[in-house]
Amino acid sequence: MKGNNFRTLLREYCLEGSILGLKYFYLYPDRVSRCFWAVTMFLNVGVACMLGLLLYLRFYEMPTRITIENQFEPIQNLPYPAITICSPNHITNSALDRFKKSLVSGNVTTDIKRLVPHILGSVTILNKLKLSELKQLQNIIESNRYKALDVLSLLPQRCDQFLKRCFFEQKVYPCKELFYPIITKSGMCCVFNSIYKLKKGNNGVYRNERQTNFSKHKVTKVGLSHGLNVVMDYDPCNAMDSSIVYAGATKVMLTDWREFPANEEASFIKSGTEAFHVLSNTFTYCSDEVQQLPLSSRKCYFKDELTLPYFKDYHNSDCELSCLIKEVENQCQCTPLYVPYVSTHAACNFTSLDCIMAVQLANMNRLNENGRCNCLRDCISHSYTSKVIIGNLKSVEHLMDNRYSGIVFNGSTTIMHFYFPAPFYVKQKQETVISLISLMSNLGGVFGLCLGCSFISLIEIWFYIYVALKKYVKGHLKKRRHQRE
């Protein structure tokens, strides 16, 4: 193809194309005009590329946002949170006496009272643990065909002893109908409205399992009288000396009913008080556009998108707990006792407590430094919070309608009220900040503003490239034919 053919094609494109500035190179062919339009076009192309890059970076780095869709979503049929209450009494004298009487094998003359406090290492961080005494305790347990899970479930204060009276939606219930025992990172606790509970397996060993055909409690009415009210007493007179944890305070954890009870957002209620837990809920869900985004853009998991070991469905708190469990398994070669469906062969025994506490301490420091174990949040979630108001129990005996009659109140007694004060909750929506359609529209606007071009301009460029290649190929073939002739 001759040079003047290419120049002719370029001249036609500049004069007839939709990029407006190019035609002035031929309409005003003097050097000054061409320099002016060359600088102008170069600057416009630079500005358009810069604005396009900024739009893309905004789309890539912050594709979604969470906004409040409704602050007054009706609360009817909202699930209650799973409420986990942990007694500070983890070794009762009565349970210890029964346990000692059941020991018939091994060195039964050993001072069990000296060894048993070591099991508190499963509940809290202890300063000193003697490995020799842990091995001695474990040998006695195994000689009598016990497991560490048995001891951890037999010695603490039972829920039917800890919980004295329960009211739910203005009705009195036997507490065992509302609360079930469960083993958590905080030891033996009592849980309300949770899919997890402590169950006796086919091998006779207790372990945490998911309840089949579980029916969750839902909010029907609001207000103090329509919530959950619990009277409890950790009975320090029946506690082994120096075995009360958390200085006698009762630990309370709020989670979604599908999540395993977590420690991260626990509150501690001092004994001898009346605590009003004013509950609130924030529900977050995703728009259809966000559901179509890749994981790297929405930065959250749906419950069936990632299967967690031991917990099945994905939840952020369960993911963080799974990280700790995996770390314990890697370093201590055993599985923590509170893990649902834990195998008796893989479950940790008391000789592993020193290793487990070291892993927990390292995990706490890592969470403080690096965040939450790289676990993404839930795409659809119910987040429960509680504002706690503390009062004393001195006025209870003077109530006109005293529904606590028959209960002896002392320094270890606590009353807790859990209720929603208002008939609504907050509903949030995760939506796209800039959708792919909006990104393309904005890019079109930028290049149209700076260069006056559009998709037609791109098609024109490709068309003229095609015409140029076509002419080049035809010219090359024609030249070869002339050479042969």
Side-chain angles (χ1 to χ4, degrees):
M1 183 175 68
K2 296 181 180 180
N4 60 348
N5 289 338
F6 176 77
R7 294 194 190 96
T8 301
L9 185 63
L10 179 62
R11 184 175 184 276
E12 290 177 0
Y13 172 74
C14 291
L15 290 174
E16 299 174 5
S18 58
I19 300 179
L20 303 178
L22 295 179
K23 65 182 179 181
Y24 296 111
F25 284 95
Y26 292 94
L27 294 178
Y28 303 97
D30 61 282
R31 183 175 298 178
V32 175
S33 298
R34 285 188 171 181
C35 288
F36 170 78
W37 285 109
V39 172
T40 301
M41 291 298 295
F42 176 79
L43 291 177
N44 283 346
V45 169
V47 171
C49 291
M50 182 185 69
L51 292 176
L53 179 62
L54 292 176
L55 283 171
Y56 175 76
L57 290 176
R58 185 180 180 189
F59 170 77
Y60 181 78
E61 295 176 358
M62 192 180 65
T64 67
R65 63 185 173 188
I66 297 178
T67 59
I68 296 177
E69 183 178 72
N70 188 3
Q71 289 183 298
F72 303 98
E73 189 72 15
I75 204 169
Q76 277 72 23
N77 294 321
L78 174 75
Y80 268 96
I83 302 173
T84 309
I85 304 175
C86 303
S87 170
N89 187 351
H90 286 275
I91 304 177
T92 63
N93 287 321
S94 56
L96 182 60
D97 290 339
R98 287 193 298 270
F99 178 70
K100 287 168 62 178
K101 291 178 181 178
S102 67
L103 302 178
V104 295
S105 302
N107 189 1
V108 295
T109 61
T110 304
D111 185 4
I112 296 296
K113 269 198 168 185
R114 178 176 56 85
L115 302 178
V116 162
H118 284 55
I119 73 170
L120 295 177
S122 303
V123 179
T124 186
I125 303 297
L126 299 181
N127 293 328
K128 294 181 180 180
L129 280 177
K130 294 182 180 179
L131 184 59
S132 59
E133 293 187 345
L134 288 173
K135 290 181 177 179
Q136 191 176 1
L137 176 62
Q138 187 63 36
N139 289 335
I140 294 174
I141 291 172
E142 292 177 352
S143 298
N144 291 271
R145 298 185 179 181
Y146 280 116
K147 302 292 183 182
L149 264 169
D150 297 323
V151 178
L152 205 61
S153 59
L154 290 174
L155 295 186
Q157 186 182 30
R158 300 198 311 266
C159 290
D160 59 348
Q161 296 173 340
F162 176 49
L163 307 178
K164 301 300 182 181
R165 192 166 297 175
C166 298
F167 304 86
F168 184 58
E169 295 181 340
Q170 293 187 320
K171 296 180 181 179
V172 182
Y173 285 86
C175 291
K176 64 181 180 180
E177 293 185 7
L178 296 177
F179 285 86
Y180 299 98
I182 187 171
I183 296 179
T184 70
K185 280 177 61 180
S186 303
M188 179 66 74
C189 300
C190 310
V191 64
F192 165 82
N193 200 43
S194 174
I195 197 171
Y196 293 99
K197 66 176 290 189
L198 186 68
K199 296 178 66 176
K200 191 173 184 178
N202 296 330
N203 56 358
V205 178
Y206 287 91
R207 67 179 183 181
N208 291 329
E209 295 183 5
R210 292 169 64 96
Q211 300 186 61
T212 56
N213 301 321
F214 175 74
S215 179
K216 58 184 177 292
H217 294 284
K218 297 181 179 180
V219 180
T220 56
K221 295 182 179 180
V222 297
L224 178 61
S225 59
H226 293 281
L228 174 68
N229 307 306
V230 186
V231 183
M232 60 202 75
D233 193 327
Y234 73 90
D235 192 11
C237 296
N238 192 26
M240 199 183 79
D241 292 342
S242 303
S243 68
I244 300 295
V245 297
Y246 311 130
T250 301
K251 190 171 188 177
V252 180
M253 296 177 281
L254 299 179
T255 53
D256 188 274
W257 64 273
R258 296 162 295 188
E259 300 177 22
F260 191 82
N263 289 358
E264 281 68 21
E265 298 182 1
S267 58
F268 294 86
I269 307 302
K270 183 182 177 182
S271 58
T273 60
E274 186 173 16
F276 298 85
H277 297 260
V278 184
L279 304 176
S280 59
N281 174 262
T282 300
F283 173 65
T284 305
Y285 77 103
C286 297
S287 66
D288 294 338
E289 293 81 5
V290 172
Q291 294 181 29
Q292 304 303 319
L293 291 176
L295 178 65
S296 58
S297 296
R298 53 183 157 87
K299 296 180 180 179
C300 65
Y301 280 115
F302 292 97
K303 68 173 186 177
D304 55 352
E305 192 172 10
L306 179 65
T307 301
L308 296 175
Y310 306 112
F311 300 105
K312 190 179 178 181
D313 297 336
Y314 180 86
H315 295 287
N316 174 263
S317 61
D318 291 343
C319 174
E320 293 172 2
L321 191 55
S322 296
C323 292
L324 176 60
I325 293 169
K326 184 177 180 180
E327 195 71 20
V328 171
E329 290 177 335
N330 291 337
Q331 297 194 26
C332 307
Q333 286 73 52
C334 64
T335 305
L337 301 175
Y338 52 79
V339 170
Y341 301 100
V342 61
S343 170
T344 54
H345 300 291
C348 296
N349 56 38
F350 294 127
T351 58
S352 305
L353 287 179
D354 197 21
C355 175
I356 294 173
M357 286 197 299
V359 173
Q360 289 180 344
L361 281 173
N363 186 68
M364 289 170 59
N365 294 332
R366 185 162 56 252
L367 287 177
N368 292 333
E369 294 173 1
N370 302 326
R372 294 181 168 271
C373 197
N374 298 321
C375 290
L376 300 180
R377 63 177 184 82
D378 296 10
C379 290
I380 301 176
S381 65
H382 282 282
S383 177
Y384 295 91
T385 57
S386 170
K387 180 181 179 181
V388 183
I389 303 172
I390 302 293
N392 60 57
L393 297 178
K394 294 181 179 180
S395 61
V396 172
E397 59 184 356
H398 303 292
L399 293 175
M400 182 177 296
D401 182 17
N402 189 1
R403 54 182 178 173
Y404 308 116
S405 59
I407 299 177
V408 178
F409 289 89
N410 49 49
S412 58
T413 305
T414 306
I415 300 179
M416 293 191 191
H417 308 274
F418 301 89
Y419 65 98
F420 288 91
F424 49 80
Y425 64 96
V426 177
K427 186 177 182 180
Q428 296 184 153
K429 180 180 181 181
Q430 184 180 4
E431 58 187 5
T432 54
V433 176
I434 302 179
S435 65
L436 187 60
I437 297 176
S438 298
L439 175 64
M440 298 305 296
S441 301
N442 290 336
L443 289 176
V446 166
F447 282 91
L449 174 67
C450 297
L451 300 174
C453 63
S454 61
F455 276 116
I456 294 296
S457 303
L458 296 177
I459 295 173
E460 288 174 351
I461 292 173
W462 287 108
F463 177 75
Y464 276 98
I465 291 174
Y466 159 74
V467 172
L469 290 174
K470 181 179 178 181
K471 287 187 176 182
Y472 173 78
V473 171
K474 284 185 176 180
H476 183 69
L477 294 176
K478 186 176 180 180
K479 183 178 180 182
R480 290 184 64 180
R481 282 197 300 267
H482 286 314
Q483 289 176 351
R484 290 175 183 175
E485 293 175 355

